[in-house]
């Protein structure tokens, strides 16, 4: 403790001694609709940040366009609100040039699996060290109820008032079919304990962690997950010591299925199941090569970065 000129005690704190709390990550007040599953996801993310003690100034959330993509606005970290479907290229650039930062990506079902599908597949293949969250409510919510790639067949929308013609795209099957995929999981926002445990497992994985989060839209697609919400017997919890185990949920979700997340063939069978909703880590393999290891960007000082920018601009001088 030291004294300043006004003789008031000033406590000198070492930054390493500071312990972050959830409130340290609270940004602007969330403006999602009441009952939106995004509220639960935001809380789980703030919980995760505090549990992992991630410094806000060294943490980045990148999003595209959609209701889910407003999440960076509600966190007191760095954030980049990109354009539709382009969150992953932005996150790739950040990760390669600033490997010291922890990078999260937030996308909706249309954002990721439609306009951003090409970026999604190749980001999975690159296997950069990212936590990628797909918030899947089966509808375009921000633009007011259009059919998305994950909309259930027969579900009516403004663009297909007689019902969706095609069977829905399965994000888990696609993710597990990508060469070099290293972590694929599924959880649900209405099971907050499982949501948090899954995100923490994803954060602790080396490589790209793809987490599909089943998320209710109370305005446009409240019926999509209604059976799973009202009848826990329709949900199977995938349990394994190297996956996610939440013991306090055992009495509610009695359908516990032992699944080794290192078994890719079993993971693919589970991903294609239609008789139940499977929550847990379907696949993980920390030995997969990461793009950072083969395509390193040399660290540069601020002065070196400015010099490189000046040199590039000088090429176009008249």
């Amino acid at each position: 403790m030291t004294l300043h000129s006004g003789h008031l005690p000033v406590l000198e704190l070492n930054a390493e001694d500071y312990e972050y709390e959830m409130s340290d990550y609270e940004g602007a007040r969330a403006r999602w609709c009441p009952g939106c599953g995004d509220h639960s996801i935001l809380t789980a993310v703030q919980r995760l940040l505090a549990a992992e003690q991630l410094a806000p100034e060294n943490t980045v959330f990148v999003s595209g366009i959609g209701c889910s993509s407003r999440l960076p606005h509600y966190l007191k970290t760095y954030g980049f609100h990109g354009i539709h479907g382009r969150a992953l290229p932005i996150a790739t650039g950040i990760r390669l040039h600033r490997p010291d930062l922890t990078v999260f990506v937030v996308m909706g079902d249309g954002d990721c699996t439609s306009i951003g599908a090409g970026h999604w597949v190749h980001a999975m293949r690159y296997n950069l060290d990212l936590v990628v969250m797909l918030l899947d409510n089966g509808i375009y919510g921000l633009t007011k109820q259009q059919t998305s790639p994950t909309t259930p067949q027969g579900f009516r929308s403004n663009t297909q008032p007689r019902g969706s013609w095609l069977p829905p795209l399965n994000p888990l099957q696609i993710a597990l079919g990508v060469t070099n995929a290293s972590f694929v999981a599924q959880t649900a926002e209405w099971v907050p304990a499982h949501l948090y445990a899954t995100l923490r497992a994803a954060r602790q994985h080396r490589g790209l962690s793809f987490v599909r989060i089943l998320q209710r839209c109370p305005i446009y697609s409240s019926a999509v997950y209604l059976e799973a919400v009202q009848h826990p017997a329709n949900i199977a919890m995938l349990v394994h010591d190297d996956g996610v185990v939440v013991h306090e949920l055992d009495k509610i979700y009695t359908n516990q299925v032992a699944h080794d997340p290192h078994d890719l063939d079993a993971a693919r069978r589970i991903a294609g199941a239609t008789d139940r909703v499977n929550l847990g880590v379907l696949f993980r393999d920390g030995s997969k090569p990461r793009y950072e290891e083969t395509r390193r960007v040399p660290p540069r000082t601020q002065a070196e970065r400015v010099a490189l920018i000046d040199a590039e601009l000088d090429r176009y001088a008249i």
Side-chain angles (χ1 to χ4, degrees), residues 54-104:
L54 298 179
E57 67 273 17
N58 293 325
T59 306
V60 185
F61 280 79
V62 182
S63 66
I65 293 296
C67 295
S68 60
S69 293
R70 291 196 58 82
L71 191 138
H73 294 269
Y74 308 140
L75 290 166
K76 198 178 292 182
T77 64
Y78 279 106
F80 196 114
H81 194 163
I83 59 177
H84 204 201
R86 307 299 186 253
L88 285 166
I90 296 166
T92 297
I94 294 171
R95 181 64 196 158
L96 289 175
H97 284 271
R98 290 294 305 274
D100 55 309
L101 301 178
T102 300
V103 185
F104 294 82

Side-chain angles (χ1 to χ4, degrees), residues 1 7 50 61 66 91 122 150 180 197 212 225 254 259 297 308 318:
M1 185 175 289
H7 303 292
F61 280 79
H122 289 288
T150 63
N180 209 41
R212 182 194 188 194
Y225 302 120
T254 57
H259 167 64
V297 176
L308 286 169
I318 297 175

Side-chain angles (χ1 to χ4, degrees), residues 20-242:
Y20 295 103
E21 299 179 354
M22 283 182 62
S23 58
D24 291 312
Y25 305 99
E26 294 176 2
R29 182 179 178 181
R31 296 177 58 189
W32 294 305
C33 300
C36 176
D38 289 349
H39 292 286
S40 175
I41 296 168
L42 174 62
T43 300
V45 166
Q46 291 169 337
R47 237 186 113 188
L48 171 68
L49 297 177
E52 294 288 316
Q53 286 294 289
L54 298 179
E57 67 273 17
N58 293 325
T59 306
V60 185
F61 280 79
V62 182
S63 66
I65 293 296
C67 295
S68 60
S69 293
R70 291 196 58 82
L71 191 138
H73 294 269
Y74 308 140
L75 290 166
K76 198 178 292 182
T77 64
Y78 279 106
F80 196 114
H81 194 163
I83 59 177
H84 204 201
R86 307 299 186 253
L88 285 166
I90 296 166
T92 297
I94 294 171
R95 181 64 196 158
L96 289 175
H97 284 271
R98 290 294 305 274
D100 55 309
L101 301 178
T102 300
V103 185
F104 294 82
V105 182
V106 186
M107 299 178 290
D109 42 289
D111 198 30
C112 174
T113 68
S114 182
I115 189 172
H119 298 304
W120 168 40
V121 168
H122 289 288
M124 294 284 298
R125 186 170 65 92
Y126 293 163
N127 194 34
L128 288 156
D129 199 3
L130 304 168
V131 176
V132 176
M133 294 177 282
L134 164 59
L135 280 57
D136 189 356
N137 59 18
I139 203 77
Y140 282 97
L142 185 66
T143 50
K144 309 298 185 286
Q145 198 184 21
Q146 290 83 31
T147 298
S148 90
T150 63
T151 300
Q153 191 170 22
F155 191 90
R156 296 183 179 185
S157 72
N158 287 336
T159 48
Q160 294 186 320
R162 296 183 180 180
S164 176
W165 290 102
L166 296 174
L169 176 148
N170 187 324
L172 299 178
Q173 288 182 309
I174 291 177
L176 290 168
V178 176
T179 303
N180 209 41
S182 69
F183 185 104
V184 177
Q186 180 164 267
T187 185
E189 50 79 13
W190 65 87
V191 193
H194 191 274
L195 169 63
Y196 165 73
T198 304
L199 290 179
R200 192 156 195 192
R203 155 65 188 153
Q204 294 171 354
H205 172 74
R206 284 183 77 254
L208 190 147
S209 301
F210 177 73
V211 183
R212 182 194 188 194
I213 305 175
L214 308 181
Q215 178 249 323
R216 295 168 294 174
C217 172
I219 306 300
Y220 299 117
S221 62
S222 59
V224 169
Y225 302 120
L226 190 61
E227 285 296 314
V229 174
Q230 294 184 343
H231 305 288
N234 292 329
I235 291 179
M237 293 290 183
L238 307 177
V239 295
H240 190 272
D241 290 341
D242 203 20

